[in-house]
Amino acid sequence: SQKIEQNSEALNIQEGKTATLTCNYTNYSPAYLQWYRQDPGRGPVFLLLIRENEKEKRKERLKVTFDTTLKQSLFHITASQPADSATYLCALDIRSNYQLIWGAGTKLIIKP
Amino acid sequence: DTGVSQDPRHKITKRGQNVTFRCDPISEHNRLYWYRQTLGQGPEFLTYFQNEAQLEKSRLLSDRFSAERPKGSFSTLEIQRTEQGDSAMYLCASSPARQNTGELFFGEGSRLTVL
């Protein structure tokens, strides 16, 4: 069956450390993988997109890796801050039916 | 602010009533999406418009749900004879085109509570 898995447990990280979130998928061949941030009661906000032929993408303190062999993406936030606390969602673009396929998200808590 | 706008932000209704949500996308975006999200889950695709044409509708969407985008600008999502299982956040998103980033721009959502 097709599925996307993100850490279901909340991730608690000390301020200043690097937070690493995972997104694993099975039985998909995504052309793109996207990461979004969602705050409580708000809509998701786009952060980064990585293509299937890219290994790594960076934006300021954010870094995303994409391993199509392992079927996994890692999302890193370096020098984490309490303001980074949110739920982070990964989404697969499989170039079919105009849909993104979403993970359930991982709640990240950065403690001061 | 010229982002995606949704109205109302919150709606409480009794089971069996009809509800309608409105979405105003970013003005130059021709693609519009509706998603539904329940607590602890990712967004679930409902339907997609390119301009005024509804090109895709989820098989999960029952006949009680209907969406329109009459002039290729704003869109409405109507739920008839609401059920408690319809309680969720209804998210609208828009995008300019698929060729570039594929990034979706979401509104703040309309939270529906069915009593």
Side-chain angles (χ1 to χ4, degrees):
Chain A
S1 64
Q2 298 173 314
K3 59 181 179 179
I4 303 171
E5 291 184 334
Q6 295 187 251
N7 313 62
S8 57
E9 301 284 329
L11 186 63
N12 287 275
I13 299 293
Q14 193 68 37
E15 181 179 7
K17 301 293 186 183
T18 296
T20 299
L21 288 69
T22 63
C23 176
N24 297 296
Y25 58 93
T26 58
N27 295 328
Y28 287 113
S29 296
Y32 303 88
L33 190 145
Q34 302 185 25
W35 283 90
Y36 288 75
R37 168 183 174 142
Q38 188 171 28
D39 291 288
R42 311 289 292 272
V45 175
F46 173 81
L47 296 174
L48 279 170
L49 174 148
I50 189 165
R51 292 175 172 78
E52 60 181 335
N53 60 352
E54 296 177 319
K55 297 293 185 185
E56 182 178 298
K57 182 73 72 72
R58 291 176 184 261
K59 178 182 177 182
E60 298 173 350
R61 293 185 296 112
L62 308 180
K63 184 178 83 171
V64 172
T65 63
F66 193 13
D67 189 324
T68 55
T69 301
L70 292 179
K71 294 187 181 295
Q72 180 181 76
S73 175
L74 299 179
F75 177 81
H76 307 271
I77 305 175
T78 58
S80 59
Q81 304 167 2
D84 296 326
S85 299
T87 295
Y88 291 85
L89 298 156
C90 70
L92 305 185
D93 183 341
I94 59 173
R95 303 269 103 178
S96 173
N97 296 333
Y98 312 100
Q99 301 180 35
L100 289 179
I101 312 298
W102 295 80
T106 298
K107 184 175 183 179
L108 176 64
I109 301 168
I110 306 298
K111 296 184 175 180
Chain B
D1 189 304
T2 57
V4 177
S5 176
Q6 292 190 244
D7 184 71
R9 291 291 312 279
H10 304 275
K11 179 71 176 179
I12 299 174
T13 191
K14 293 182 179 180
R15 188 176 54 187
Q17 298 295 304
N18 298 343
V19 296
T20 299
F21 301 115
R22 175 180 170 124
C23 172
D24 288 89
I26 294 171
S27 58
E28 62 268 26
H29 288 184
N30 62 344
R31 301 174 188 269
L32 186 146
Y33 308 78
W34 285 99
Y35 283 85
R36 176 172 63 189
Q37 187 177 27
T38 54
L39 197 63
Q41 299 299 314
E44 177 187 31
F45 172 80
L46 294 179
T47 191
Y48 161 71
F49 290 86
Q50 183 168 321
N51 299 312
E52 67 276 8
Q54 187 175 21
L55 297 186
E56 187 70 21
K57 185 175 177 180
S58 170
R59 287 190 292 266
L60 301 175
L61 217 58
S62 76
D63 291 342
R64 296 184 297 106
F65 287 72
S66 62
E68 295 182 340
R69 194 182 183 196
K71 296 183 179 179
S73 57
F74 73 92
S75 176
T76 58
L77 176 68
E78 181 182 18
I79 308 174
Q80 296 181 326
R81 305 181 303 282
T82 52
E83 302 173 356
Q84 288 183 326
D86 297 331
S87 295
M89 175 77 88
Y90 289 85
L91 294 164
C92 176
S94 68
S95 70
R98 206 169 164 80
Q99 291 85 351
N100 296 325
T101 65
E103 167 187 354
L104 296 184
F105 296 79
F106 281 89
E108 298 290 34
S110 293
R111 178 165 296 284
L112 173 65
T113 302
V114 181
L115 301 176

